[in-house]
């Protein structure tokens, strides 16, 4: 990331009240950007509210991304020339409970955001965030590259694959001079303050904090785990290089393939970091299908964008536990969050140009 690119820049972020959106807002603020948020309301337990991150925003609008008039008005009023689209229904199990709403939010919503960006002449770059689950997952032992076939067995994954197709279709069929549109795919993220339903880390933290063993449904499942700030730095690096050759392409932002861990290994690492009697146990149970093996190849981002992960494999989990321990020890969620953003930026050696 280049600090000078973001200093004083107006950036429009959808989904800023979600987990990744909250951390992105803090990161952009520390880079000197003026952040304009557009999202539905989220529970008070979410990081955005716990940390009081609304104080970092230049504007904060509550709205549905499918409300085209409200979305267009908010984007125009923001004066932003960068759009980062993170708003989504992101919980796999919820997609089984309500597939219609999942497809509508993720597909129709992304179409509305891209069309709004295309219609606003000031906008120069639009990054649509999807997921590593967009690929047709055959559970191969090698990592998926951006030109692998898209798929998705569960409604959430399928909706995000559709989002990729729709976004790149709009980018190619309705090009506008001076605008670059691209999609970004990232692996499973961890970080302090996560309150996402059914997510591994919040369940581990709740169990460890309560002094009971965490229960894992699929401890052998393999995922590309990374700290939340890692892919966020990738999204910003991608946005910096739009418009340009990065336009109308999908981009992977994940850890090195030799750094992937099973769910059980993640739980063990976090238990060690938490200390005391923290432990976990396998509790097989009924539930929807979950992939057993999923890896991402980020060679394109390394070669074309110069992006690469900053943190060592286990640092993501140590930082997550450190955030939780710090807050439980009296540090405010706001201070804990900004301190970790500053730590990350110092490690990444953000350039000035």
């Amino acid at each position: 990331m280049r600090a000078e690119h973001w200093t004083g820049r107006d950036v429009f972020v959808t989904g800023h009240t979600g987990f990744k959106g909250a951390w992105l807002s803090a990161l952009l603020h520390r880079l000197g950007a003026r952040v304009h948020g557009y999202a539905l309301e989220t529970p008070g337990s979410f990081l955005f509210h716990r940390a009081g991150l609304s104080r970092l925003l230049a504007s904060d609008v509550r709205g549905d991304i499918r409300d085209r008039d409200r979305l267009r008005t908010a984007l125009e009023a923001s004066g932003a020339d960068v759009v980062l689209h993170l708003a989504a229904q992101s919980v796999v199990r919820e997609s089984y409970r309500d597939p219609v709403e999942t497809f509508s939010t993720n597909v129709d919503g992304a179409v509305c955001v891209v069309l709004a960006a295309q219609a606003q002449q000031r906008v120069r770059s639009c990054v649509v965030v999807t997921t590593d689950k967009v690929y047709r997952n055959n559970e191969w032992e090698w990592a998926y590259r951006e030109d692998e076939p898209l798929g998705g067995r569960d409604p959430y994954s399928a909706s995000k694959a559709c989002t990729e197709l729709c976004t790149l279709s709009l980018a190619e069929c309705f090009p506008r001079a001076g605008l670059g549109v691209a999609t970004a795919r990232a692996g499973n993220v961890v970080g302090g303050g996560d309150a996402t339903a059914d997510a591994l880390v919040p369940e581990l933290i709740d169990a460890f904090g309560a002094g009971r063993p965490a229960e894992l449904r699929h401890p052998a499942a393999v995922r590309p785990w990374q700290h939340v700030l890692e892919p966020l730095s990738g999204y910003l690096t991608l946005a910096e290089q739009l418009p340009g050759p990065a336009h109308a392409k999908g981009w992977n932002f994940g850890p090195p393939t030799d750094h992937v861990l099973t769910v059980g290994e993640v739980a063990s690492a976090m238990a060690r970091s938490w200390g005391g009697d923290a432990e976990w146990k396998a509790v097989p149970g009924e539930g929807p299908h979950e992939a057993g093996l999923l890896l991402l190849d980020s060679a394109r981002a390394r070669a074309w964008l110069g992006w690469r992960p900053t943190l060592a494999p286990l640092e993501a989990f140590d930082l997550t536990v450190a955030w939780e321990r710090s807050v439980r020890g009296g540090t405010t969620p706001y201070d804990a969050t900004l301190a970790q953003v500053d730590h990350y930026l110092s490690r990444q050696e953000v350039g000035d140009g």
Side-chain angles (χ1 to χ4, degrees):
M1 296 179 292
R2 293 186 292 117
E4 71 167 12
H5 182 89
W6 299 103
T7 301
R9 185 175 295 273
D10 290 288
V11 182
F12 191 80
V13 178
T14 72
H16 67 290
T17 58
F19 176 60
K20 289 173 88 172
W23 278 97
L24 178 59
S25 298
L27 177 59
L28 283 166
H29 171 75
R30 280 310 209 217
L31 289 171
R34 291 187 294 268
V35 183
H36 302 267
Y38 184 94
L40 293 175
E41 188 57 277
T42 49
S45 59
F46 276 40
L47 176 64
F48 179 80
H49 296 294
R50 288 183 64 195
L53 297 182
S54 60
R55 76 189 82 174
L56 304 181
L57 304 182
S59 65
D60 184 2
V61 178
R62 293 293 176 273
D64 193 310
I65 50 176
R66 295 165 293 184
D67 186 338
R68 295 182 64 180
D69 290 338
R70 187 168 180 78
L71 176 66
R72 183 176 61 250
T73 298
L75 177 55
E76 184 175 1
S78 73
D81 63 355
V82 176
V83 174
L84 302 171
H85 174 46
L86 281 72
Q89 193 302 96
S90 60
V91 180
V92 173
R93 290 197 166 203
E94 179 60 28
S95 77
Y96 280 95
R97 287 189 285 266
D98 196 344
V100 173
E101 184 67 11
T102 297
F103 277 102
S104 178
T105 298
N106 294 349
V107 182
D108 295 345
V111 169
C112 289
V113 170
V114 175
L115 289 176
Q118 290 174 326
Q120 178 52 251
Q121 292 296 316
R122 182 186 291 109
V123 176
R124 310 291 293 176
S125 62
C126 177
V127 175
V128 173
V129 174
T130 61
T131 174
D132 57 350
K133 297 176 180 63
V134 298
Y135 295 104
R136 183 189 303 160
N137 188 6
N138 297 308
E139 305 205 21
W140 289 321
E141 61 274 18
W142 57 83
Y144 289 93
R145 297 171 294 182
E146 289 86 349
D147 57 357
E148 303 278 3
L150 300 180
R153 174 174 173 177
D154 60 88
Y156 167 71
S157 301
S159 74
K160 284 299 195 175
C162 292
T163 296
E164 290 273 348
L165 295 173
C166 290
T167 298
L168 298 180
S169 171
L170 293 174
E172 293 179 343
C173 294
F174 304 99
R176 172 168 64 76
L179 171 66
V181 179
T183 62
R185 308 158 185 174
N188 291 48
V189 298
V190 303
D194 190 3
T196 305
D198 291 326
L200 174 64
V201 169
E203 292 183 358
L204 291 174
I205 295 296
D206 286 346
F208 297 161
R212 55 179 170 79
E215 298 182 351
L216 305 184
R217 296 184 300 271
H218 302 283
V222 176
R223 298 288 187 274
W225 305 94
Q226 56 192 328
H227 192 272
V228 62
L229 290 170
E230 297 277 49
L232 296 182
S233 74
Y235 305 160
L236 298 188
T237 301
L238 174 58
E240 288 177 10
Q241 301 194 35
L242 290 171
H247 172 68
K249 293 180 176 64
W251 298 85
N252 287 343
F253 297 100
T257 54
D258 57 348
H259 289 175
V260 297
L261 301 170
T262 67
V263 168
E265 289 171 331
V266 169
S268 294
M270 291 194 63
R272 286 193 299 271
S273 187
W274 189 270
D277 296 326
E279 60 180 344
W280 62 270
K281 62 180 180 180
V283 183
E286 296 294 326
H289 168 79
E290 294 185 42
L293 178 62
L294 179 59
L295 308 175
L296 279 184
D297 185 327
S298 302
R300 173 183 285 180
R302 291 197 302 273
W304 288 42
L305 306 178
W307 176 88
R308 58 185 49 82
T310 296
L311 303 174
L314 297 180
E315 282 188 274
F317 311 110
D318 289 340
L319 283 172
T320 300
V321 170
W323 189 99
E324 296 289 348
R325 285 292 201 186
S326 175
V327 169
R328 290 169 187 241
T331 303
T332 67
Y334 177 83
D335 289 336
T337 299
L338 292 186
Q340 290 205 345
V341 170
D342 290 341
H343 169 76
Y344 182 79
L345 291 174
S346 70
R347 291 284 303 278
Q348 198 178 62
E349 299 180 355
V350 177
D352 293 324

